[in-house]
């Protein structure tokens, strides 16, 4: 594949070596970064952020070699050092932007950082192709540097590929939920304790499955819709959400009534207390972790079965 550019994955993750390189499409491949690519990224971080770059664990290629039946295999060290992965692509970077949004739908999420485009094979600087269009998120990289590295399974990589290909085949339908995916991927920059994140996740859920109250319906219609429609659609989720992993024993309708009550209090600037009225919800962080899972599953289902979700939304 002719190389037009590379996008770095800033999430602190690792993959099964047998999976790589992984073909995401005919124009995009997930692989390990080369030594020169890592060097150029580290140079870019120093140039762009100066002394602030010291707060980030540099990308590196440290590895442990082990003997296996006479054949040396490379196993990358999962320590405080971060292995570097890239999406190598041919063509415009718009496809990478779309992939970056879809990549937030798998577990663990893949968050993209710097994206570089090659100007041309004949333009050299110190033996390396000149890069342009670099954009780096130092906060994201610093945050991920402090996290324990998580494994991305073969099954999750395949889900990523399938979701991306669904979008490629169903562009017209995708355009109708594109803003929701954009909102979800951008919400990843919000702190898990943010009340704005709560409102963003509820906005995603409502946009996908709830219609505006009709003249014959009360304003409480949205709460009613969410309670019953999520219960129905959850039977088709890619991953089952275990509600009791987040909350105490509570009936399904009562749970969503409490959640929507919290959402309304936040939206209207009302005081709320997790030690009193919302004790069963535990904390804003717990609520956001739960809503994130629901929003993610609804978006995936909307990509794979748009007509079903859209029909239920209009009911």
């Amino acid at each position: 594949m002719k190389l037009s550019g590379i996008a770095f994955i800033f999430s602190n993750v690792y993959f099964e070596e047998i999976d790589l390189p992984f073909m995401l499409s005919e124009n995009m491949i997930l692989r390990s970064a080369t030594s020169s690519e890592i060097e150029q990224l580290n140079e870019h971080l120093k140039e762009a952020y100066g002394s602030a770059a010291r707060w980030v664990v540099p990308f590196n290629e440290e590895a442990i070699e082990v003997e296996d039946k006479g054949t040396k295999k490379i196993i990358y060290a999962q320590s405080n050092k971060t292995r570097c992965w890239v999406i190598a692509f041919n063509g415009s970077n718009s496809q990478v932007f779309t992939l970056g949004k879809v990549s937030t739908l798998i577990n663990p999420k893949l968050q993209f950082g710097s994206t570089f485009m090659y100007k041309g094979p004949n333009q050299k600087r110190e033996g390396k192709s000149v890069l342009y269009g670099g954009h780096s998120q130092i906060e994201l990289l610093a945050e991920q540097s402090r996290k324990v590295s998580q494994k991305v399974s073969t099954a999750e990589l395949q889900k990523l590929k399938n979701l991306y290909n669904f979008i490629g085949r169903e562009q017209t339908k995708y355009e109708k939920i594109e803003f929701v995916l954009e909102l979800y991927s951008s919400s990843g920059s919000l702190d898990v304790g943010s009340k704005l994140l709560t409102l963003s996740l509820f906005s995603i859920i409502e946009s996908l499955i709830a219609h505006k109250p009709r003249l014959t319906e009360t304003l409480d219609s949205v709460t009613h819709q969410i309670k019953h429609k999520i219960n129905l659609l959850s039977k088709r989720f890619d991953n089952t959400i275990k509600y009791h992993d987040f909350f105490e024993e509570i009936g399904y309708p009562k749970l969503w009534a409490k959640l929507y009550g919290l959402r309304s209090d936040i939206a209207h600037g009302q005081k709320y207390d997790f030690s009193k009225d919302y004790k069963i919800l535990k904390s804003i962080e717990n609520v956001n972790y739960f809503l994130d899972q629901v929003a993610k599953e609804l978006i995936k289902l909307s990509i794979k079965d748009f007509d079903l979700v859209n029909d239920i939304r209009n009911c």
Side-chain angles (χ1 to χ4, degrees):
M1 182 184 76
K2 183 180 177 181
L3 185 63
S4 294
I6 51 174
F8 286 88
I9 295 174
F10 276 9
S11 297
N12 194 355
V13 296
Y14 64 101
F15 306 89
E16 293 282 3
E17 287 298 313
I18 195 172
D19 288 338
L20 300 184
F22 188 86
M23 183 75 72
L24 290 161
S25 74
E26 61 180 11
N27 293 317
M28 290 192 292
I29 296 175
L30 168 64
R31 61 166 172 79
S32 301
T34 65
S35 298
S36 62
E37 289 166 348
I38 293 172
E39 181 182 351
Q40 289 175 73
L41 176 60
N42 285 330
E43 287 178 0
H44 167 70
L45 292 174
K46 292 176 184 177
E47 290 174 2
Y49 298 101
S51 61
R54 73 180 185 273
W55 299 108
V56 179
V57 177
F59 284 120
N60 66 92
E61 286 195 296
E62 262 192 22
I64 300 172
E65 289 191 359
V66 297
E67 292 282 342
D68 183 17
K69 297 181 179 179
T71 302
K72 279 191 175 183
K73 290 186 177 180
I74 302 297
I75 299 179
Y76 297 105
Q78 299 305 314
S79 62
N80 63 337
K81 299 294 186 180
T82 306
R83 179 68 179 166
C84 191
W85 319 101
V86 297
I87 303 295
F89 61 93
N90 178 36
S92 70
N93 56 5
S94 61
Q95 59 189 327
V96 177
F97 294 154
T98 299
L99 180 69
K101 297 172 189 175
V102 179
S103 294
T104 61
L105 298 175
I106 66 170
N107 296 312
K109 298 178 182 181
L110 297 185
Q111 294 177 291
F112 292 9
S114 299
T115 300
F116 300 112
M117 295 285 290
Y118 287 98
K119 280 187 175 179
N122 297 322
Q123 300 185 37
K124 300 288 183 179
R125 182 185 66 182
E126 299 176 350
K128 296 177 289 189
S129 296
V130 177
L131 299 170
Y132 75 96
H135 174 68
S136 185
Q137 303 165 358
I138 194 71
E139 297 85 0
L140 171 61
L141 187 51
E143 175 193 1
Q144 291 295 321
S145 301
R146 296 188 291 268
K147 289 186 176 181
V148 176
S149 187
Q150 293 181 282
K151 177 182 175 180
V152 181
S153 68
T154 306
E156 290 300 310
L157 275 180
Q158 192 60 50
K159 288 177 185 178
L160 173 58
K161 180 176 182 177
N162 291 341
L163 287 168
Y164 180 78
N165 288 332
F166 267 118
I167 288 174
R169 292 195 300 267
E170 302 286 349
Q171 274 296 318
T172 302
K173 293 179 179 178
Y174 167 64
E175 289 171 1
K176 296 179 180 179
I177 64 167
E178 185 175 11
F179 78 99
V180 173
L181 184 55
E182 171 67 34
L183 180 58
Y184 181 74
S185 62
S186 61
S187 70
S189 63
L190 297 172
D191 184 80
V192 71
S194 169
K195 295 182 284 293
L196 181 58
L197 178 59
T198 311
L199 296 179
S200 295
L201 294 171
F202 255 110
S203 177
I204 291 168
I205 294 169
E206 290 180 33
S207 297
L208 289 173
I209 66 173
H211 59 255
K212 290 182 180 179
R214 302 183 177 105
L215 293 177
T216 56
E217 298 173 327
T218 66
L219 291 176
D220 191 49
S221 166
V222 176
T223 311
H224 180 80
Q225 289 182 64
I226 289 177
K227 286 190 292 187
H228 293 282
K229 291 179 180 180
I230 289 181
N231 188 36
L232 176 63
L233 290 170
S234 65
K235 296 176 174 59
R236 299 178 67 91
F237 282 174
D238 177 47
N239 295 306
T240 301
I241 299 176
K242 299 178 181 178
Y243 298 92
H244 295 149
D245 286 351
F246 295 90
F247 310 105
E248 299 171 10
E249 293 292 329
I250 181 175
Y252 193 86
K254 184 178 179 181
L255 169 61
W256 280 101
K258 283 289 185 183
L259 288 168
Y260 207 83
L262 175 64
R263 175 255 181 223
S264 296
D265 283 348
I266 293 173
H268 297 103
Q270 300 297 315
K271 291 183 179 181
Y272 56 89
D273 193 338
F274 284 102
S275 67
K276 296 179 180 178
D277 293 342
Y278 296 112
K279 185 176 181 179
I280 200 163
L281 300 181
K282 298 182 180 179
S283 67
I284 195 71
E285 291 83 2
N286 189 56
V287 167
N288 285 341
Y289 279 127
F290 172 73
L291 292 176
D292 181 86
Q293 292 299 308
V294 175
K296 180 190 296 186
E297 293 303 320
L298 283 174
I299 295 172
K300 287 193 288 184
L301 184 58
S302 296
I303 292 174
K304 295 186 289 185
D305 203 339
F306 174 83
D307 291 335
L308 170 67
V309 178
N310 194 50
D311 287 345
I312 290 178
R313 178 182 181 275
N314 292 324
C315 289

